[in-house]
Amino acid sequence: MQVSVETTQGLERRATITVPAATIDEKVKEFLKSEYRNRRINGFRQGKVPPNVLQKLFGTEARARAAQELMQSKYFEAIMQEKINPAGPPSIEPKVNEAGKDLEFVATFEVYPEVAVQGLDKIKVEQPDVTVTDKDVDGMLETLRKQHASWKEVKRKSKKGERITIDFTGRIDGEEFDGGKAEDFALELGEGRMIPGFEDDIIGMKTGEEKTIEVTFPEDYHAENLKGKKAEFDIVAKKVEEQVLPELNDEFVATFGVTDGGVEALKAEVRKNMERELKNTVQSKVKEQVLKGLVDNNDVDLPSAMVKQEIDGLRRQAMQRFGDNQAQMPELPANLFEEQAKERVKVGLLLGEVIRSNDIKVDDAKVDQIIANNASAYEDPEEVVAYYKGNEELLQQVRNVALEEQAVDFIIGQAKVSAKKASFDELMNPKQK
């Protein structure tokens, strides 16, 4: 077998591979003998058809199949022989495929880029310095109480934080518009569900009161025909309700599966969950900064095959969100995912080089730590840990995560890290800009 490899452009390579005529002729004979000799042919007993007859009847088909199989196998032999590491599947095209002649074909593929990571000491990371305080825990308990609150009707003016049931009819330039009308619409005042100004003008209304308000749709409103438009809404208040919070007692605690220890036990459980979520959020925000700095300080040629593969994966994930309806959905265009795919491929190549060049190996203690952290969110952590340890595929996924986290930790060790004080609420519930 003869192999010659040339660079066409960028990461693309073209390999011309020549297979001796004797090799493919022998492969054709094997196919004729194993795949075609038992065919039923008039004038011959089954399995007794002479080779020259098989060649005449099936030679062309057998050669096509033999060439296809040989081109695949010889391609892999060629890249191993030339010590080439393709970044994706090849495009294979036969050039010469005739009886008695050498089989010649061309394989076009991309290779992985040469990656040299630099500038790790230029990466800036702000490490959030946050602790869960007693006030944070009390705030979370208050949130839990609100989530389990009931509503009681009152005969007075509505206030922020209360619920009002209304009928409304909207008009623009005196004409009603689609989506601008509703009956028995329950609205919790202060939640910001409606367009700016709508809820503010309703606060203070009481049961039976009617009112007309004027508001303006935002310029970035999702409905094109309503962007920036001024509208009038006729409002009829039908019911006002105040929120009734459950008492913080053993009965309330029991709704969360806490049967021993009462309120203090619930507080301890809430704190544990908050600290776990805080740890994951801090880790995520630090990692985000590390990866951004890594990408910003390093240029890498991206194999289009890898980008395409990543696009396909992102597209599948997006389609899965449609559940049972995905069969009726058109294929989402590639350009929706292209930038994200390129970013992922670049991060993967750069992290891979950090791991390779610094000989980072999977730390079993790190693997156990990740599994324990994931398991702590479940009722029976030991059962979850055992499930991870007994599932090799799942365990390998965790090993991959651990290796990536170790690479990030290595970069943090080279980067410029500064602490930034913040509260739990600031970190976990950042205000939208």
Side-chain angles (χ1 to χ4, degrees):
M1 180 179 70
Q2 296 179 350
V3 181
S4 65
V5 181
E6 60 179 320
T7 299
T8 51
Q9 57 178 358
L11 300 174
E12 188 179 86
R13 303 289 184 270
R14 179 182 291 132
T16 301
I17 303 168
T18 304
V19 181
T23 301
I24 185 167
D25 289 344
E26 186 62 31
K27 193 70 175 176
V28 172
K29 289 178 183 178
E30 289 178 15
F31 265 111
L32 290 173
K33 185 177 180 180
S34 62
E35 302 288 332
Y36 297 96
R37 68 179 298 181
N38 289 320
R39 298 283 181 91
R40 291 187 177 276
I41 299 173
N42 292 335
F44 299 95
R45 285 185 297 161
Q46 188 174 1
K48 299 296 183 180
V49 183
N52 64 321
V53 175
L54 290 174
Q55 175 67 40
K56 182 178 180 180
L57 293 174
F58 306 112
T60 301
E61 181 182 339
R63 186 173 186 86
R65 292 179 61 187
Q68 187 65 36
E69 185 174 301
L70 278 172
M71 286 190 294
Q72 291 292 334
S73 63
K74 295 302 180 181
Y75 162 73
F76 287 109
E77 284 184 30
I79 61 174
M80 291 176 66
Q81 174 184 307
E82 300 297 317
K83 295 181 173 56
I84 296 171
N85 189 12
S91 169
I92 294 179
E93 180 184 0
K95 290 299 183 183
V96 179
N97 183 17
E98 300 175 21
K101 293 185 178 181
D102 292 345
L103 170 66
E104 183 180 311
F105 66 96
V106 171
T108 305
F109 54 91
E110 289 179 298
V111 296
Y112 284 95
E114 292 185 8
V115 181
V117 176
Q118 57 187 4
L120 298 186
D121 58 339
K122 296 178 182 178
I123 297 175
K124 295 180 180 179
V125 177
E126 282 189 344
Q127 177 102 29
D129 182 6
V130 186
T131 56
V132 177
T133 66
D134 291 343
K135 183 179 179 181
D136 294 326
V137 174
D138 290 341
M140 184 59 70
L141 288 173
E142 191 69 9
T143 298
L144 294 175
R145 291 177 69 202
K146 287 179 179 178
Q147 290 173 352
H148 290 76
S150 58
W151 295 94
K152 174 185 175 183
E153 186 172 1
V154 293
K155 300 297 182 180
R156 55 168 172 73
K157 292 181 179 181
S158 59
K159 301 177 183 177
K160 186 175 180 179
E162 296 183 335
R163 188 166 71 181
I164 185 169
T165 301
I166 59 174
D167 294 342
F168 64 81
T169 302
R171 297 182 305 277
I172 294 178
D173 297 330
E175 298 291 331
E176 295 184 14
F177 58 91
D178 290 341
K181 189 174 185 176
E183 294 182 352
D184 295 326
F185 184 80
L187 178 62
E188 193 169 336
L189 298 172
E191 289 291 298
R193 289 176 55 194
M194 310 299 282
I195 60 175
F198 192 99
E199 293 179 25
D200 293 340
D201 287 343
I202 293 175
I203 293 175
M205 291 185 72
K206 59 185 180 180
T207 303
E209 185 177 349
E210 298 182 13
K211 186 178 184 181
T212 298
I213 65 174
E214 293 183 0
V215 294
T216 301
F217 283 91
E219 292 292 343
D220 59 352
Y221 195 67
H222 61 85
E224 193 68 34
N225 62 317
L226 298 178
K227 289 181 177 180
K229 295 290 182 67
K230 292 184 177 180
E232 289 184 336
F233 283 90
D234 294 331
I235 311 291
V236 178
K238 303 179 76 172
K239 182 167 60 174
V240 176
E241 299 167 286
E242 66 179 4
Q243 197 174 50
V244 180
L245 300 180
E247 292 291 328
L248 191 56
N249 53 25
D250 289 349
E251 182 180 351
F252 176 73
V253 168
T255 62
F256 298 93
V258 178
T259 54
D260 296 319
V263 174
E264 291 306 314
L266 178 60
K267 282 186 177 182
E269 185 67 23
V270 167
R271 181 184 290 273
K272 184 177 75 171
N273 291 337
M274 292 173 71
E275 288 175 343
R276 182 179 63 250
E277 291 302 314
L278 174 60
K279 178 183 175 183
N280 291 340
T281 300
V282 168
Q283 186 177 17
S284 176
K285 288 186 178 296
V286 168
K287 182 179 179 180
E288 183 181 322
Q289 295 175 72
V290 167
L291 298 184
K292 183 179 185 306
L294 186 63
V295 167
D296 289 347
N297 284 284
N298 292 275
D299 291 324
V300 182
D301 290 332
L302 304 181
S304 58
M306 293 182 70
V307 174
K308 181 181 181 303
Q309 186 178 30
E310 195 66 43
I311 287 173
D312 290 342
L314 291 169
R315 182 190 278 128
R316 283 193 299 273
Q317 291 175 19
M319 292 298 293
Q320 286 170 0
R321 297 189 191 105
F322 293 105
D324 295 337
N325 298 320
Q326 60 183 289
Q328 288 81 42
M329 295 294 296
E331 184 173 73
L332 298 172
N335 61 356
L336 287 178
F337 310 100
E338 187 171 2
E339 287 307 311
Q340 185 181 1
K342 286 181 177 179
E343 187 84 359
R344 284 192 174 196
V345 171
K346 188 173 183 180
V347 165
L349 290 170
L350 291 169
L351 277 182
E353 179 57 22
V354 169
I355 292 167
R356 187 200 66 78
S357 60
N358 295 284
D359 197 27
I360 300 173
K361 306 295 184 185
V362 176
D363 183 350
D364 290 338
K366 186 78 168 180
V367 173
D368 291 341
Q369 180 187 0
I370 293 171
I371 292 174
N373 184 59
N374 293 344
S376 66
Y378 293 85
E379 187 174 344
D380 187 348
E382 290 184 6
E383 182 180 344
V384 177
V385 170
Y387 178 74
Y388 270 93
K389 294 296 182 70
N391 186 319
E392 187 56 38
E393 182 179 350
L394 197 58
L395 197 55
Q396 186 56 50
Q397 291 177 13
V398 179
R399 290 193 186 103
N400 293 339
V401 171
L403 192 59
E404 183 176 294
E405 287 190 7
Q406 288 173 237
V408 170
D409 290 342
F410 176 85
I411 298 171
I412 291 172
Q414 314 297 311
K416 296 176 180 177
V417 182
S418 60
K420 183 181 180 182
K421 281 281 188 182
S423 69
F424 179 86
D425 189 58
E426 286 171 342
L427 188 70
M428 305 299 291
N429 304 296
K431 298 293 187 292
Q432 297 294 324
K433 296 182 180 179

